[in-house]
Short mmCIF file of all heavy atoms in Angstrom, two decimals:
data_model
loop_
_atom_site.label_atom_id
_atom_site.label_comp_id
_atom_site.label_asym_id
_atom_site.label_seq_id
_atom_site.Cartn_x
_atom_site.Cartn_y
_atom_site.Cartn_z
N MET D 18 7.02 15.72 -5.46
CA MET D 18 6.05 14.83 -4.71
C MET D 18 6.72 14.13 -3.62
O MET D 18 6.13 14.01 -2.52
CB MET D 18 5.46 13.75 -5.83
CG MET D 18 4.38 12.94 -5.08
SD MET D 18 3.58 11.73 -6.25
CE MET D 18 2.32 12.75 -6.83
N ILE D 19 7.88 13.62 -3.87
CA ILE D 19 8.63 13.07 -2.70
C ILE D 19 8.85 14.07 -1.62
O ILE D 19 8.58 13.79 -0.40
CB ILE D 19 10.00 12.52 -3.19
CG1 ILE D 19 9.83 11.20 -4.10
CG2 ILE D 19 10.86 12.08 -1.92
CD1 ILE D 19 11.14 10.86 -4.76
N ARG D 20 9.02 15.33 -1.90
CA ARG D 20 9.26 16.32 -0.90
C ARG D 20 7.95 16.60 -0.21
O ARG D 20 7.88 16.71 1.05
CB ARG D 20 9.72 17.58 -1.49
CG ARG D 20 10.46 18.51 -0.46
CD ARG D 20 10.93 19.74 -1.15
NE ARG D 20 11.60 19.54 -2.30
CZ ARG D 20 11.73 20.47 -3.30
NH1 ARG D 20 11.18 21.69 -3.20
NH2 ARG D 20 12.54 20.20 -4.34
N ALA D 21 6.87 16.45 -0.95
CA ALA D 21 5.45 16.64 -0.24
C ALA D 21 5.31 15.53 0.76
O ALA D 21 4.49 15.78 1.70
CB ALA D 21 4.46 16.79 -1.37
N GLN D 22 5.72 14.44 0.54
CA GLN D 22 5.52 13.31 1.40
C GLN D 22 6.66 13.27 2.48
O GLN D 22 6.72 12.22 3.23
CB GLN D 22 5.59 12.02 0.63
CG GLN D 22 4.53 11.81 -0.41
CD GLN D 22 4.53 10.51 -1.20
OE1 GLN D 22 3.97 10.39 -2.21
NE2 GLN D 22 5.37 9.54 -0.66
N GLY D 23 7.49 14.27 2.57
CA GLY D 23 8.52 14.27 3.53
C GLY D 23 9.58 13.26 3.26
O GLY D 23 10.38 12.84 4.22
N GLY D 24 9.71 12.75 1.95
CA GLY D 24 10.78 11.90 1.62
C GLY D 24 10.45 10.47 2.03
O GLY D 24 11.20 9.54 1.84
N LEU D 25 9.22 10.18 2.62
CA LEU D 25 8.89 8.93 3.17
C LEU D 25 7.80 8.25 2.28
O LEU D 25 6.91 8.95 1.69
CB LEU D 25 8.41 9.02 4.50
CG LEU D 25 9.44 9.50 5.52
CD1 LEU D 25 8.86 9.65 6.91
CD2 LEU D 25 10.69 8.51 5.63
N CYS D 26 7.72 6.88 2.32
CA CYS D 26 6.68 6.24 1.63
C CYS D 26 5.30 6.70 2.17
O CYS D 26 5.10 6.84 3.30
CB CYS D 26 6.99 4.74 1.99
SG CYS D 26 5.55 3.66 1.41
N ILE D 27 4.37 6.82 1.20
CA ILE D 27 2.98 7.32 1.58
C ILE D 27 2.17 6.31 2.37
O ILE D 27 1.11 6.52 2.87
CB ILE D 27 2.29 7.90 0.30
CG1 ILE D 27 1.30 8.97 0.60
CG2 ILE D 27 1.75 6.79 -0.55
CD1 ILE D 27 0.84 9.82 -0.41
N ILE D 28 2.54 4.94 2.23
CA ILE D 28 1.80 3.95 2.86
C ILE D 28 2.26 3.62 4.28
O ILE D 28 1.63 3.78 5.20
CB ILE D 28 1.75 2.66 2.03
CG1 ILE D 28 0.95 2.89 0.70
CG2 ILE D 28 1.14 1.54 2.79
CD1 ILE D 28 0.93 1.76 -0.29
N CYS D 29 3.62 3.33 4.46
CA CYS D 29 4.11 2.92 5.81
C CYS D 29 4.63 4.13 6.57
O CYS D 29 4.82 4.00 7.73
CB CYS D 29 5.13 1.86 5.64
SG CYS D 29 6.62 2.41 4.78
N LEU D 30 4.92 5.29 5.85
CA LEU D 30 5.32 6.50 6.50
C LEU D 30 6.71 6.29 7.29
O LEU D 30 6.91 7.02 8.27
CB LEU D 30 4.30 7.07 7.45
CG LEU D 30 2.97 7.28 6.85
CD1 LEU D 30 1.94 7.76 7.91
CD2 LEU D 30 2.91 8.32 5.66
N ARG D 31 7.42 5.25 6.92
CA ARG D 31 8.67 4.97 7.67
C ARG D 31 9.92 4.94 6.66
O ARG D 31 10.93 5.43 6.90
CB ARG D 31 8.52 3.62 8.42
CG ARG D 31 7.54 3.76 9.61
CD ARG D 31 7.34 2.34 10.15
NE ARG D 31 6.60 2.47 11.34
CZ ARG D 31 7.08 2.65 12.51
NH1 ARG D 31 8.30 2.76 12.86
NH2 ARG D 31 6.14 2.74 13.51
N ALA D 32 9.61 4.12 5.56
CA ALA D 32 10.79 3.88 4.70
C ALA D 32 10.93 5.00 3.65
O ALA D 32 9.94 5.60 3.33
CB ALA D 32 10.61 2.50 4.03
N PRO D 33 12.10 5.23 3.18
CA PRO D 33 12.31 6.18 2.19
C PRO D 33 11.51 5.87 0.91
O PRO D 33 11.35 4.77 0.54
CB PRO D 33 13.82 6.09 1.88
CG PRO D 33 14.52 5.43 2.97
CD PRO D 33 13.36 4.54 3.62
N ALA D 34 10.78 6.97 0.36
CA ALA D 34 10.14 6.81 -0.85
C ALA D 34 11.09 6.62 -2.08
O ALA D 34 11.89 7.57 -2.24
CB ALA D 34 9.23 7.98 -1.10
N VAL D 35 11.06 5.46 -2.70
CA VAL D 35 11.92 5.25 -3.76
C VAL D 35 11.24 4.88 -5.13
O VAL D 35 11.81 4.88 -6.11
CB VAL D 35 13.01 4.08 -3.43
CG1 VAL D 35 13.91 4.59 -2.36
CG2 VAL D 35 12.31 2.85 -3.02
N HIS D 36 10.01 4.46 -5.00
CA HIS D 36 9.35 3.90 -6.13
C HIS D 36 8.16 4.78 -6.56
O HIS D 36 7.22 4.91 -5.73
CB HIS D 36 8.82 2.47 -5.92
CG HIS D 36 8.21 1.91 -7.14
ND1 HIS D 36 8.85 1.19 -8.08
CD2 HIS D 36 6.86 2.04 -7.63
CE1 HIS D 36 8.08 0.81 -9.05
NE2 HIS D 36 6.80 1.34 -8.85
N VAL D 37 8.16 5.40 -7.75
CA VAL D 37 6.93 6.23 -8.21
C VAL D 37 5.97 5.29 -8.65
O VAL D 37 6.18 4.52 -9.67
CB VAL D 37 7.50 7.17 -9.36
CG1 VAL D 37 6.28 7.99 -9.76
CG2 VAL D 37 8.59 8.12 -8.91
N ASP D 38 4.76 5.30 -8.03
CA ASP D 38 3.64 4.34 -8.37
C ASP D 38 2.73 5.08 -9.33
O ASP D 38 2.16 6.11 -8.98
CB ASP D 38 3.01 4.04 -7.12
CG ASP D 38 1.87 3.05 -7.34
OD1 ASP D 38 1.98 2.05 -8.02
OD2 ASP D 38 0.73 3.30 -6.81
N HIS D 39 2.54 4.45 -10.48
CA HIS D 39 1.56 4.88 -11.43
C HIS D 39 0.29 4.02 -11.45
O HIS D 39 0.39 2.91 -11.28
CB HIS D 39 2.17 4.80 -12.86
CG HIS D 39 3.20 5.75 -13.14
ND1 HIS D 39 4.60 5.46 -12.81
CD2 HIS D 39 3.29 7.08 -13.61
CE1 HIS D 39 5.44 6.45 -13.13
NE2 HIS D 39 4.64 7.35 -13.65
N CYS D 40 -0.80 4.77 -11.68
CA CYS D 40 -2.02 3.96 -11.96
C CYS D 40 -1.79 3.32 -13.30
O CYS D 40 -1.51 3.97 -14.38
CB CYS D 40 -3.29 4.85 -12.04
SG CYS D 40 -4.71 4.05 -12.52
N HIS D 41 -1.96 2.04 -13.40
CA HIS D 41 -1.80 1.28 -14.67
C HIS D 41 -2.93 1.62 -15.74
O HIS D 41 -2.55 1.35 -16.93
CB HIS D 41 -1.55 -0.23 -14.35
CG HIS D 41 -0.38 -0.54 -13.56
ND1 HIS D 41 -0.10 -1.68 -12.91
CD2 HIS D 41 0.78 0.26 -13.35
CE1 HIS D 41 1.00 -1.61 -12.32
NE2 HIS D 41 1.60 -0.48 -12.57
N LYS D 42 -3.93 2.09 -15.30
CA LYS D 42 -4.95 2.38 -16.32
C LYS D 42 -4.83 3.81 -16.88
O LYS D 42 -4.91 3.96 -18.11
CB LYS D 42 -6.44 2.29 -15.59
CG LYS D 42 -6.99 1.03 -15.43
CD LYS D 42 -8.39 0.97 -14.81
CE LYS D 42 -8.74 -0.43 -14.38
NZ LYS D 42 -9.73 -0.39 -13.38
N THR D 43 -4.55 4.67 -16.02
CA THR D 43 -4.64 6.13 -16.55
C THR D 43 -3.13 6.60 -16.73
O THR D 43 -2.87 7.66 -17.29
CB THR D 43 -5.35 7.05 -15.53
OG1 THR D 43 -4.50 7.07 -14.26
CG2 THR D 43 -6.70 6.57 -15.23
N GLY D 44 -2.13 6.00 -16.07
CA GLY D 44 -0.82 6.50 -16.15
C GLY D 44 -0.53 7.61 -15.19
O GLY D 44 0.51 8.13 -15.05
N ARG D 45 -1.53 8.00 -14.34
CA ARG D 45 -1.41 9.11 -13.39
C ARG D 45 -0.45 8.57 -12.23
O ARG D 45 -0.50 7.44 -11.83
CB ARG D 45 -2.68 9.44 -12.76
CG ARG D 45 -2.83 10.70 -11.99
CD ARG D 45 -4.22 10.92 -11.55
NE ARG D 45 -4.81 9.94 -10.70
CZ ARG D 45 -4.65 9.78 -9.39
NH1 ARG D 45 -3.97 10.74 -8.70
NH2 ARG D 45 -5.30 8.90 -8.75
N VAL D 46 0.39 9.54 -11.79
CA VAL D 46 1.27 9.21 -10.65
C VAL D 46 0.34 9.20 -9.36
O VAL D 46 -0.30 10.25 -9.18
CB VAL D 46 2.35 10.17 -10.52
CG1 VAL D 46 3.13 9.87 -9.24
CG2 VAL D 46 3.33 10.04 -11.70
N ARG D 47 0.39 8.14 -8.66
CA ARG D 47 -0.49 8.09 -7.42
C ARG D 47 0.26 8.43 -6.19
O ARG D 47 -0.27 9.03 -5.20
CB ARG D 47 -0.93 6.63 -7.17
CG ARG D 47 -1.99 6.25 -8.28
CD ARG D 47 -2.66 4.92 -7.99
NE ARG D 47 -1.67 3.82 -8.20
CZ ARG D 47 -2.00 2.46 -8.48
NH1 ARG D 47 -3.26 2.31 -8.58
NH2 ARG D 47 -1.12 1.57 -8.51
N GLY D 48 1.56 8.29 -6.16
CA GLY D 48 2.32 8.61 -4.98
C GLY D 48 3.72 7.96 -5.11
O GLY D 48 3.99 7.22 -6.04
N VAL D 49 4.57 8.16 -4.12
CA VAL D 49 5.80 7.48 -4.08
C VAL D 49 5.95 6.60 -2.90
O VAL D 49 5.62 7.00 -1.79
CB VAL D 49 6.97 8.61 -4.09
CG1 VAL D 49 8.32 8.04 -4.49
CG2 VAL D 49 6.74 9.73 -5.16
N LEU D 50 6.23 5.35 -3.21
CA LEU D 50 6.23 4.31 -2.20
C LEU D 50 7.57 3.72 -2.06
O LEU D 50 8.63 3.98 -2.65
CB LEU D 50 5.39 3.13 -2.65
CG LEU D 50 4.06 3.42 -3.15
CD1 LEU D 50 3.26 2.31 -3.63
CD2 LEU D 50 3.24 4.14 -2.05
N CYS D 51 7.87 3.13 -0.84
CA CYS D 51 8.97 2.24 -0.58
C CYS D 51 8.92 0.96 -1.44
O CYS D 51 7.90 0.61 -1.84
CB CYS D 51 9.27 2.13 0.86
SG CYS D 51 8.20 0.83 1.64
N PHE D 52 10.07 0.37 -1.46
CA PHE D 52 10.15 -0.93 -2.14
C PHE D 52 9.06 -2.02 -1.60
O PHE D 52 8.29 -2.58 -2.37
CB PHE D 52 11.49 -1.47 -2.20
CG PHE D 52 11.63 -2.86 -2.81
CD1 PHE D 52 11.74 -2.78 -4.22
CD2 PHE D 52 11.63 -3.97 -2.03
CE1 PHE D 52 11.80 -4.14 -4.76
CE2 PHE D 52 11.76 -5.25 -2.76
CZ PHE D 52 11.82 -5.25 -4.06
N ASN D 53 8.98 -2.10 -0.37
CA ASN D 53 8.26 -3.14 0.29
C ASN D 53 6.77 -2.83 0.02
O ASN D 53 5.93 -3.79 -0.21
CB ASN D 53 8.38 -3.21 1.80
CG ASN D 53 9.76 -3.99 2.06
OD1 ASN D 53 10.17 -4.86 1.32
ND2 ASN D 53 10.31 -3.77 3.23
N CYS D 54 6.27 -1.62 0.20
CA CYS D 54 4.89 -1.25 0.11
C CYS D 54 4.46 -1.44 -1.44
O CYS D 54 3.32 -1.94 -1.68
CB CYS D 54 4.60 0.10 0.60
SG CYS D 54 4.76 0.17 2.35
N ASN D 55 5.31 -1.04 -2.31
CA ASN D 55 5.04 -1.15 -3.68
C ASN D 55 4.93 -2.67 -4.01
O ASN D 55 3.94 -2.99 -4.75
CB ASN D 55 6.13 -0.58 -4.62
CG ASN D 55 5.82 -0.71 -6.06
OD1 ASN D 55 4.89 -0.23 -6.52
ND2 ASN D 55 6.72 -1.45 -6.73
N THR D 56 5.68 -3.50 -3.50
CA THR D 56 5.66 -4.91 -3.71
C THR D 56 4.38 -5.44 -3.18
O THR D 56 3.74 -6.29 -3.76
CB THR D 56 6.81 -5.62 -3.18
OG1 THR D 56 8.09 -5.12 -3.80
CG2 THR D 56 6.84 -7.02 -3.50
N GLY D 57 4.04 -5.03 -1.97
CA GLY D 57 2.82 -5.50 -1.26
C GLY D 57 1.55 -5.18 -2.11
O GLY D 57 0.74 -6.10 -2.27
N ILE D 58 1.46 -3.98 -2.48
CA ILE D 58 0.23 -3.75 -3.30
C ILE D 58 0.28 -4.46 -4.60
O ILE D 58 -0.93 -4.93 -5.10
CB ILE D 58 -0.16 -2.22 -3.33
CG1 ILE D 58 0.87 -1.60 -4.23
CG2 ILE D 58 -0.33 -1.64 -1.98
CD1 ILE D 58 0.44 -0.12 -4.50
N GLY D 59 1.36 -4.69 -5.23
CA GLY D 59 1.49 -5.39 -6.44
C GLY D 59 1.12 -6.85 -6.15
O GLY D 59 0.45 -7.41 -7.07
N LEU D 60 1.54 -7.41 -5.09
CA LEU D 60 1.08 -8.75 -4.79
C LEU D 60 -0.30 -8.97 -4.58
O LEU D 60 -0.83 -10.11 -4.85
CB LEU D 60 1.96 -9.41 -3.66
CG LEU D 60 3.41 -9.57 -3.79
CD1 LEU D 60 4.14 -9.95 -2.59
CD2 LEU D 60 3.74 -10.61 -4.82
N LEU D 61 -0.94 -7.95 -4.05
CA LEU D 61 -2.49 -8.03 -3.95
C LEU D 61 -3.10 -7.47 -5.18
O LEU D 61 -4.39 -7.13 -5.21
CB LEU D 61 -2.98 -7.09 -2.72
CG LEU D 61 -2.60 -7.82 -1.37
CD1 LEU D 61 -2.67 -6.80 -0.19
CD2 LEU D 61 -3.46 -8.94 -1.10
N LYS D 62 -2.43 -7.42 -6.26
CA LYS D 62 -2.89 -7.09 -7.59
C LYS D 62 -3.54 -5.66 -7.64
O LYS D 62 -4.36 -5.35 -8.46
CB LYS D 62 -3.95 -8.04 -8.06
CG LYS D 62 -3.48 -9.49 -7.95
CD LYS D 62 -2.35 -9.85 -8.86
CE LYS D 62 -1.99 -11.28 -8.76
NZ LYS D 62 -0.65 -11.55 -9.27
N GLU D 63 -3.15 -4.89 -6.65
CA GLU D 63 -3.63 -3.46 -6.58
C GLU D 63 -5.11 -3.47 -6.62
O GLU D 63 -5.70 -2.56 -7.12
CB GLU D 63 -2.98 -2.58 -7.68
CG GLU D 63 -1.55 -2.70 -7.78
CD GLU D 63 -0.96 -1.80 -8.82
OE1 GLU D 63 -1.67 -0.98 -9.42
OE2 GLU D 63 0.29 -1.84 -9.03
N ARG D 64 -5.72 -4.45 -5.98
CA ARG D 64 -7.22 -4.55 -6.01
C ARG D 64 -7.67 -4.07 -4.64
O ARG D 64 -7.44 -4.82 -3.58
CB ARG D 64 -7.58 -6.02 -6.14
CG ARG D 64 -7.27 -6.52 -7.59
CD ARG D 64 -8.53 -6.41 -8.51
NE ARG D 64 -9.63 -7.16 -7.90
CZ ARG D 64 -10.00 -8.39 -8.21
NH1 ARG D 64 -9.22 -9.08 -9.04
NH2 ARG D 64 -11.02 -8.85 -7.69
N PRO D 65 -8.37 -3.01 -4.61
CA PRO D 65 -8.81 -2.47 -3.22
C PRO D 65 -9.69 -3.40 -2.46
O PRO D 65 -9.63 -3.47 -1.24
CB PRO D 65 -9.66 -1.12 -3.63
CG PRO D 65 -8.96 -0.72 -4.84
CD PRO D 65 -8.56 -2.03 -5.64
N ASP D 66 -10.52 -4.26 -3.25
CA ASP D 66 -11.35 -5.24 -2.42
C ASP D 66 -10.53 -6.21 -1.75
O ASP D 66 -10.79 -6.60 -0.63
CB ASP D 66 -12.32 -5.92 -3.47
CG ASP D 66 -11.70 -6.55 -4.59
OD1 ASP D 66 -10.60 -6.14 -5.05
OD2 ASP D 66 -12.27 -7.62 -5.10
N ARG D 67 -9.46 -6.65 -2.40
CA ARG D 67 -8.50 -7.63 -1.75
C ARG D 67 -7.82 -6.91 -0.57
O ARG D 67 -7.61 -7.57 0.43
CB ARG D 67 -7.56 -8.19 -2.76
CG ARG D 67 -8.21 -9.01 -3.80
CD ARG D 67 -7.12 -9.69 -4.59
NE ARG D 67 -7.77 -10.27 -5.75
CZ ARG D 67 -7.11 -11.09 -6.71
NH1 ARG D 67 -5.81 -11.25 -6.56
NH2 ARG D 67 -7.72 -11.67 -7.70
N ILE D 68 -7.37 -5.73 -0.73
CA ILE D 68 -6.68 -5.06 0.20
C ILE D 68 -7.52 -4.89 1.41
O ILE D 68 -7.11 -4.93 2.57
CB ILE D 68 -5.94 -3.81 -0.31
CG1 ILE D 68 -4.83 -4.22 -1.37
CG2 ILE D 68 -5.30 -3.05 0.82
CD1 ILE D 68 -4.37 -3.06 -2.25
N ARG D 69 -8.70 -4.53 1.23
CA ARG D 69 -9.65 -4.30 2.31
C ARG D 69 -10.00 -5.64 3.09
O ARG D 69 -10.02 -5.58 4.35
CB ARG D 69 -11.08 -3.78 1.87
CG ARG D 69 -11.10 -2.17 1.82
CD ARG D 69 -12.47 -1.62 1.57
NE ARG D 69 -12.95 -1.92 0.17
CZ ARG D 69 -12.73 -1.02 -0.83
NH1 ARG D 69 -12.11 0.00 -0.56
NH2 ARG D 69 -13.07 -1.27 -2.03
N ARG D 70 -10.05 -6.65 2.38
CA ARG D 70 -10.13 -8.01 3.09
C ARG D 70 -9.04 -8.29 3.89
O ARG D 70 -8.99 -8.87 5.04
CB ARG D 70 -10.40 -9.14 2.17
CG ARG D 70 -12.01 -9.15 1.78
CD ARG D 70 -12.31 -10.49 1.03
NE ARG D 70 -11.83 -10.63 -0.24
CZ ARG D 70 -12.46 -10.06 -1.33
NH1 ARG D 70 -13.61 -9.46 -1.21
NH2 ARG D 70 -11.87 -10.17 -2.57
N ALA D 71 -7.81 -7.92 3.38
CA ALA D 71 -6.53 -8.11 4.09
C ALA D 71 -6.56 -7.30 5.39
O ALA D 71 -6.03 -7.76 6.40
CB ALA D 71 -5.34 -7.76 3.14
N ILE D 72 -7.02 -6.05 5.20
CA ILE D 72 -7.04 -5.28 6.42
C ILE D 72 -8.04 -5.83 7.47
O ILE D 72 -7.72 -5.95 8.71
CB ILE D 72 -7.56 -3.78 6.07
CG1 ILE D 72 -6.52 -3.03 5.21
CG2 ILE D 72 -7.92 -3.00 7.28
CD1 ILE D 72 -7.06 -1.80 4.58
N ARG D 73 -9.23 -6.32 7.06
CA ARG D 73 -10.19 -6.92 8.00
C ARG D 73 -9.65 -8.17 8.62
O ARG D 73 -9.79 -8.40 9.76
CB ARG D 73 -11.50 -7.24 7.26
CG ARG D 73 -12.41 -6.02 7.14
CD ARG D 73 -13.88 -6.39 6.87
NE ARG D 73 -14.00 -7.12 5.64
CZ ARG D 73 -14.21 -6.56 4.44
NH1 ARG D 73 -14.47 -5.26 4.43
NH2 ARG D 73 -14.45 -7.25 3.31
N TYR D 74 -8.96 -8.87 7.76
CA TYR D 74 -8.28 -10.14 8.31
C TYR D 74 -7.29 -9.74 9.42
O TYR D 74 -7.32 -10.35 10.46
CB TYR D 74 -7.66 -10.83 7.13
CG TYR D 74 -6.65 -11.98 7.58
CD1 TYR D 74 -7.15 -13.19 7.98
CD2 TYR D 74 -5.32 -11.78 7.52
CE1 TYR D 74 -6.31 -14.15 8.51
CE2 TYR D 74 -4.41 -12.72 7.96
CZ TYR D 74 -4.94 -13.96 8.34
OH TYR D 74 -4.11 -14.92 8.78
N LEU D 75 -6.40 -8.73 9.08
CA LEU D 75 -5.41 -8.40 10.01
C LEU D 75 -5.94 -7.93 11.32
O LEU D 75 -5.59 -8.21 12.52
CB LEU D 75 -4.43 -7.40 9.45
CG LEU D 75 -3.44 -7.96 8.31
CD1 LEU D 75 -2.77 -6.90 7.61
CD2 LEU D 75 -2.55 -9.00 8.91
N GLU D 76 -7.02 -6.98 11.15
CA GLU D 76 -7.59 -6.36 12.36
C GLU D 76 -8.30 -7.36 13.15
O GLU D 76 -8.31 -7.40 14.38
CB GLU D 76 -8.45 -5.19 11.90
CG GLU D 76 -7.72 -4.03 11.46
CD GLU D 76 -8.60 -2.86 11.07
OE1 GLU D 76 -9.70 -2.98 10.71
OE2 GLU D 76 -7.99 -1.75 10.92
N GLY D 77 -9.04 -8.34 12.57
CA GLY D 77 -9.76 -9.25 13.19
C GLY D 77 -8.77 -10.26 13.99
O GLY D 77 -9.03 -10.61 15.09
N THR D 78 -7.73 -10.57 13.32
CA THR D 78 -6.76 -11.49 14.09
C THR D 78 -6.16 -10.82 15.23
O THR D 78 -6.09 -11.39 16.34
CB THR D 78 -5.58 -11.82 12.99
OG1 THR D 78 -6.17 -12.50 11.88
CG2 THR D 78 -4.65 -12.70 13.77
N ARG D 79 -5.90 -9.49 14.92
CA ARG D 79 -5.22 -8.77 16.13
C ARG D 79 -6.23 -8.53 17.22
O ARG D 79 -6.04 -8.79 18.44
CB ARG D 79 -4.84 -7.37 15.65
CG ARG D 79 -3.94 -6.66 16.55
CD ARG D 79 -3.25 -5.46 15.90
NE ARG D 79 -4.38 -4.52 15.39
CZ ARG D 79 -4.06 -3.58 14.54
NH1 ARG D 79 -2.91 -3.51 14.04
NH2 ARG D 79 -5.01 -2.82 13.99
N GLY D 80 -7.59 -8.39 16.94
CA GLY D 80 -8.56 -8.26 18.00
C GLY D 80 -8.83 -9.55 18.75
O GLY D 80 -8.83 -9.41 19.96
N SER D 81 -8.70 -10.65 18.11
CA SER D 81 -9.02 -11.83 18.86
C SER D 81 -7.79 -12.20 19.71
O SER D 81 -7.91 -12.85 20.77
CB SER D 81 -9.35 -12.90 17.89
OG SER D 81 -8.12 -13.22 17.08
N GLN D 82 -6.64 -11.69 19.22
CA GLN D 82 -5.43 -12.04 20.11
C GLN D 82 -5.46 -11.27 21.36
O GLN D 82 -4.90 -11.78 22.37
CB GLN D 82 -4.10 -11.79 19.33
CG GLN D 82 -3.77 -12.86 18.32
CD GLN D 82 -2.63 -12.43 17.41
OE1 GLN D 82 -2.22 -11.31 17.36
NE2 GLN D 82 -2.14 -13.38 16.71
N HIS D 83 -5.97 -10.19 21.35
CA HIS D 83 -5.91 -9.22 22.54
C HIS D 83 -7.22 -9.33 23.45
O HIS D 83 -7.17 -8.84 24.46
CB HIS D 83 -5.75 -7.77 22.13
CG HIS D 83 -4.31 -7.57 21.64
ND1 HIS D 83 -3.38 -7.37 22.51
CD2 HIS D 83 -3.87 -7.42 20.35
CE1 HIS D 83 -2.19 -7.20 21.69
NE2 HIS D 83 -2.45 -7.30 20.46
N SER D 84 -8.20 -10.07 22.93
CA SER D 84 -9.41 -10.06 23.79
C SER D 84 -9.36 -11.27 24.67
O SER D 84 -8.55 -12.16 24.66
CB SER D 84 -10.69 -10.18 22.85
OG SER D 84 -10.59 -11.38 22.05
ZN1 ZN M 8 6.23 1.90 2.58
#
């Protein structure tokens, strides 16, 4: 799986993939992440609704800074 990702984290595509991320409900391997990205989604409780709000927040902030 790490080779399929080119050895890089599947989220940031920059850092080396070092952490195998499992779905905590099913135990399925979701992908291999770098330390920071794994920590980041963990801090957002792996909740897609929260992560989507974080994305909107970041994009909204960035948009207002450039307009
Ligand atoms: Zn990463």
Side-chain angles (χ1 to χ4, degrees):
M18 183 172 269
I19 291 176
R20 201 181 310 157
Q22 295 179 195
L25 296 175
C26 170
I27 202 164
I28 293 182
C29 66
L30 305 177
R31 288 175 179 272
V35 293
H36 181 91
V37 179
D38 180 50
H39 293 86
C40 176
H41 293 159
K42 279 184 195 155
T43 65
R45 188 175 64 86
V46 174
R47 292 186 292 205
V49 192
L50 309 179
C51 74
F52 178 80
N53 283 337
C54 291
N55 180 62
T56 302
I58 64 169
L60 291 173
L61 286 166
K62 310 296 181 195
E63 303 184 12
R64 293 266 302 270
D66 58 329
R67 293 187 188 186
I68 294 171
R69 269 192 287 272
R70 276 195 289 276
I72 293 167
R73 278 201 295 271
Y74 169 74
L75 290 171
E76 288 180 340
T78 302
R79 192 169 55 198
S81 65
Q82 281 172 345
H83 286 281
S84 60

